[in-house]
Every structure is written in structure tokens, then in C-alpha cells.
Amino acid sequence: QQQVKQSPQSLIVQKGGISIINCAYENTAFDYFPWYQQFPGKGPALLIAIRPDVSEKKEGRFTISFNKSAKQFSLHIMDSQPGDSATYFCAATDSWGKLQFGAGTQVVVTP
Amino acid sequence: EAQVTQNPRYLITVTGKKLTVTCSQNMNHEYMSWYRQDPGLGLRQIYYSMNVEVTDKGDVPEGYKVSRKEKRNFPLILESPSPNQTSLYFCASSLSRDSYEQYFGPGTRLTVT
């Protein structure tokens, strides 16, 4: 059973547009919420992460919004670029460091 | 260069033929883990190890074995592979159990016929 639910499965956005990926979780023991980016033929790499005591974190064009009461968090990619085309995974982990991943979202940015 | 390496990168084998996928990291990380990636399911943890000689089951351990005799190596063993173990496998490591950033290897694509 997927402990972290991610949507959409895929999205297509034009260059310069905003990509939004949503995730939801049930386990209140989760205390760290990373996002991983994966390019074809490569392993996932940490993109950005947030703790539940913060409602928003921004790093460059990437922003995580976190809603603790709703147990939801999302990734916004502003000014999307063709180089952002990749699969994005949300994840959640508890104090034991065991990562639970979402199913992934394939993002395609068209020129 | 700090990295996690896996070998082989690609493997086609037959049902029941024992195989080992090696994983090695050069970052002196304590925590290592194996995942399998399947379409629509994301990454699911198979086994993890918090330190040498300490291993534990993840979410999908059936049909797999691991060992951690040295800090840098964490091989994944399939004693009797079956077609449902056809998947993309990733090894990952992190500084410690409490360090949330995991570094992933390049992946091993396994096909069991």
C-alpha cells in the first residue's frame, strides 16, 4: 500500500509555465519530506526538502508548499525549462530514515 | 569523486539462476539501502543496513538477501530469481540513519526470463 500518494502521473507544460505536483500522506510520524528528481538512465537525486514546521521552502525556481493539517505537500516548478523534463518523486521519512516514495510524476516541458 | 556504484548495469538471466548485484560507496556512509523501481509504483525499499553487520527488511524483501560485511559494500542477492523480480534496482547510501539525503547509484536493470 502506497503510504505517499502522488498526482498527476504525468504533465506537459510549456516553457516558462508552472508545473505543480501534489502529494498526500497519512502517517503522522513522517517528519521530513524530500523531493527527488530523476533523469532517464540515472538514479534519483535530492532536489529540495522540507520539514513540517515550515509551510513553504523555496530554492531557485523550485518551491515546496506544505499543509500539515491536510497532510499534503506540493512541488511548484516556476518558469519551467526543457532541462526540467524529468520524473519527480515526492517522499516522506520518519526518524528511522526509511524513505517512502510516491509513484512519480513524469514532467515534459515543451519548447 | 563521491559516488555509489552498482554492477552490473544490465543483466538478463533465467529463472532460478542465482545472481548478485554489487553496490559500493566511497563516502564512508553508515546507511545503505536497496530499492526496486517499477512503473506506477515509484521506488520501494527492499532491504536496508544501518551499519556493518546490521541489516533489516524494507517493504518488499521477499526473494532477496543482503549482507553488510564491510562498510562500503552492500550486495543484493537473488538466490532463485523469478520473472516478477524483473525491475530496475537502485542502491543508495546516506551518512547515517538520521541523515535524510540519500545518494543513489546509477541503477541495475534486471530481466528474468
Side-chain angles (χ1 to χ4, degrees):
Chain A
Q1 183 183 357
Q2 203 99 36
Q3 291 199 36
V4 180
K5 295 187 180 352
Q6 182 173 349
S7 64
Q9 284 187 332
S10 63
L11 69 92
I12 300 173
V13 61
Q14 283 192 330
K15 180 180 175 181
I18 302 173
S19 305
I20 302 174
I21 306 169
N22 300 300
C23 287
Y25 65 97
E26 289 295 327
N27 188 348
T28 54
F30 290 145
D31 63 359
Y32 186 74
F33 300 87
W35 286 86
Y36 281 80
Q37 179 187 54
Q38 184 181 29
F39 293 104
K42 303 288 186 184
L46 182 67
L47 180 66
I48 186 173
I50 197 168
R51 294 187 185 276
D53 54 348
V54 175
S55 61
E56 186 175 283
K57 182 174 181 180
K58 183 176 181 180
E59 289 184 3
R61 296 182 293 106
F62 299 90
T63 300
I64 301 178
S65 298
F66 189 86
N67 185 329
K68 188 174 181 178
S69 61
K71 291 186 281 188
Q72 295 175 348
F73 58 111
S74 60
L75 176 70
H76 291 62
I77 307 174
M78 314 300 286
D79 187 26
S80 297
Q81 299 296 311
D84 296 332
S85 296
T87 300
Y88 293 82
F89 293 95
C90 62
T93 186
D94 56 23
S95 58
W96 287 90
K98 184 177 174 181
L99 272 177
Q100 296 283 347
F101 284 87
T105 297
Q106 186 174 16
V107 173
V108 175
V109 182
T110 59
Chain B
E1 179 190 356
Q3 60 183 350
V4 178
T5 56
Q6 295 178 227
N7 282 292
R9 294 290 313 278
Y10 302 90
L11 179 59
I12 300 174
T13 190
V14 296
T15 299
K17 186 177 181 180
K18 181 180 178 180
L19 67 92
T20 299
V21 184
T22 64
C23 172
S24 183
Q25 51 91 7
N26 62 0
M27 296 171 278
N28 202 34
H29 284 171
E30 288 185 354
Y31 187 97
M32 297 186 74
S33 184
W34 276 102
Y35 297 87
R36 60 178 288 173
Q37 183 176 8
D38 301 290
L41 296 175
L43 290 98
R44 293 178 293 167
Q45 191 175 50
I46 303 170
Y47 270 95
Y48 63 97
S49 169
M50 289 187 281
N51 215 324
V52 176
E53 303 292 1
V54 180
T55 63
D56 209 345
K57 295 177 181 179
D59 295 319
V60 288
E62 296 77 20
Y64 304 94
K65 284 177 57 177
V66 293
S67 68
R68 187 96 180 271
K69 292 181 169 40
E70 304 168 281
K71 197 171 188 178
R72 62 182 293 132
N73 296 323
F74 190 43
L76 179 69
I77 303 157
L78 284 73
E79 294 269 3
S80 182
S82 62
N84 64 12
Q85 293 178 297
T86 292
S87 187
L88 179 59
Y89 291 86
F90 287 100
C91 180
S93 73
S94 62
L95 194 59
S96 69
R97 184 193 75 188
D98 298 327
S99 173
Y100 297 120
E101 179 174 5
Q102 293 196 18
Y103 295 82
F104 284 79
T108 295
R109 185 165 292 283
L110 172 65
T111 302
V112 183
T113 62

